[in-house]
Amino acid sequence: GSDDIIAGNVSKHIVLPAGYSGQPKKGHLIFDACFESGNLGRVDHVTEFEYDLFIRPDTCNPRFRVWFNFTVENVKESQ
């Protein structure tokens, strides 16, 4: 569930639609938070334009998730 503990950051994680097999195409987003202050722990594909993002808690204050820091690559025009 969404309350699962997220231990680390995603690192160049390619998010593919369910049932898709083959090489990633333009528009299959690549998420990365493997850098200082990155805090994206998990990404779930919902639709072509919708993703559920799970942010790791702040190291010094695990009760709160008040900021986010990650990158997204491989977007297609008007996505």
Side-chain angles (χ1 to χ4, degrees), residues 6-79:
I6 301 171
N9 291 327
V10 296
S11 179
K12 297 289 184 182
H13 178 67
I14 302 170
V15 181
L16 300 173
Y20 179 84
S21 62
Q23 293 295 317
K25 299 186 293 188
K26 196 74 164 171
H28 291 157
L29 300 183
I30 302 170
F31 292 85
D32 185 41
C34 196
F35 48 85
E36 186 176 345
S37 78
N39 67 339
L40 183 61
R42 191 175 100 211
V43 180
D44 293 344
H45 180 269
V46 178
T47 69
E48 180 182 0
F49 300 106
E50 184 178 352
Y51 297 82
D52 286 337
L53 306 177
F54 296 85
I55 304 300
R56 289 186 317 99
D58 190 311
T59 304
C60 296
N61 195 347
R63 292 184 55 206
F64 298 103
R65 291 169 175 87
V66 296
W67 57 274
F68 55 90
N69 193 5
F70 58 90
T71 64
V72 180
E73 301 174 38
N74 203 40
V75 298
K76 64 182 178 183
E77 187 174 332
S78 74
Q79 183 173 19

